[in-house]
Amino acid sequence: GQQVMQIPQYQHVQEGEDFTTYCNSSTTLSNIQWYKQRPGGHPVFLIQLVKSGEVKKQKRLTFQFGEAKKNSSLHITATQTTDVGTYFCAGPTALGAGNNRKLIWGLGTSLAVNP
Amino acid sequence: SAVISQKPSRDICQRGTSLTIQCQVDSQVTMMFWYRQQPGQSLTLIATANQGSEATYESGFVIDKFPISRPNLTFSTLTVSNMSPEDSSIYLCSVRQWANYGYTFGSGTRLTVV
């Protein structure tokens, strides 16, 4: 079945270091979404990428969607303690339509930042 | 994006009992999604709830165990029935309003079954 793999599972960095998490889908995705979940919180939508090769930036966060629309990455420059949490990628299944497609979630990358 | 009010935020329940979780959305949405998340794990979809029809359950989840109601376009409930300690988890509801935006989640219900 359709799968979304995400690596690494955990990452521990010193504040100020960069961080990258990678997402790979077993099938081509119409879009990929990234979420952040703070410890004890719920997932919060960060961004959606739709186009092949798309790159989007949100301050220190850079999101990329691969040319084949099967992989994606999230890069954080100069991490801060506020970046702590788990970052999930998710892509819609091939079934269903529009807003009603369910999501296939990666396992997430937990980021810890030492001050 | 939509705002979801989810209740209760947490509960400790005796095995064999049932708990009903409520989600109220501040706008009308077609579909509501119910997830389960074990601490430190990813999200697992339980079912998709459409107003006016029976919910669609994912493999491994059945209506008798997780009955869902969707009486209107802004509200849904998930009941965890005949609970056992294995049901201890975080339960989340979620909606999506627009195709160019992601999913919004409720704040979650942290359930502990003793």
Side-chain angles (χ1 to χ4, degrees):
Chain A
Q2 188 177 356
Q3 290 185 317
V4 173
M5 278 71 73
Q6 194 173 349
I7 57 169
Q9 188 174 0
Y10 303 100
Q11 186 81 55
H12 212 135
V13 300
Q14 288 295 128
E15 190 171 23
E17 292 181 341
D18 293 355
F19 159 78
T20 305
T21 174
Y22 300 91
C23 188
N24 289 285
S25 171
S26 58
T27 61
T28 301
L29 299 170
S30 59
N31 67 74
I32 193 156
Q33 300 168 30
W34 285 91
Y35 294 79
K36 177 183 179 180
Q37 185 173 24
R38 294 181 186 273
H42 58 277
V44 174
F45 173 70
L46 294 176
I47 208 160
Q48 176 175 278
L49 304 173
V50 178
K51 299 177 183 177
S52 170
E54 188 170 15
V55 178
K56 286 189 176 180
K57 292 190 176 185
Q58 290 180 350
K59 297 183 180 178
R60 294 177 295 103
L61 277 63
T62 301
F63 304 84
Q64 294 189 3
F65 201 10
E67 293 291 338
K69 300 182 74 172
K70 295 181 71 174
N71 60 290
S72 182
S73 65
L74 158 59
H75 179 81
I76 302 178
T77 303
T79 55
Q80 300 175 358
T81 55
T82 54
D83 296 324
V84 166
T86 301
Y87 293 84
F88 291 98
C89 61
T93 61
L95 301 176
N99 290 353
N100 302 328
R101 290 186 182 179
K102 60 184 182 182
L103 289 179
I104 304 296
W105 292 78
L107 294 181
T109 296
S110 292
L111 173 63
V113 180
N114 280 345
Chain B
S1 63
V3 175
I4 304 176
S5 174
Q6 183 171 345
K7 299 178 183 178
S9 58
R10 60 179 63 235
D11 207 341
I12 301 173
C13 300
Q14 297 291 323
R15 68 175 67 203
T17 63
S18 297
L19 175 72
T20 295
I21 301 167
Q22 301 180 3
C23 277
Q24 177 74 52
V25 189
D26 69 345
S27 56
Q28 293 184 342
V29 290
T30 306
M31 293 288 199
M32 291 184 73
F33 302 86
W34 287 96
Y35 284 91
R36 184 169 72 183
Q37 185 180 32
Q38 303 284 0
Q41 303 295 316
S42 188
L43 286 79
T44 301
L45 183 64
I46 297 171
T48 303
N50 193 2
Q51 191 262 338
S53 63
E54 272 197 8
T56 302
Y57 289 83
E58 297 300 305
S59 175
F61 298 96
V62 295
I63 188 171
D64 289 346
K65 176 67 175 177
F66 297 100
I68 287 171
S69 78
R70 184 81 202 275
N72 56 55
L73 291 173
T74 63
F75 187 78
S76 181
T77 67
L78 169 76
T79 299
V80 186
S81 303
N82 189 25
M83 289 184 286
S84 65
E86 291 71 34
D87 295 319
S88 298
S89 190
I90 300 166
Y91 293 85
L92 296 147
C93 60
S94 176
V95 301
R96 191 185 197 196
Q97 282 186 297
W98 305 296
N100 63 347
Y101 199 80
Y103 289 73
T104 302
F105 285 82
S107 54
T109 297
R110 187 177 294 269
L111 171 63
T112 302
V113 183
V114 297

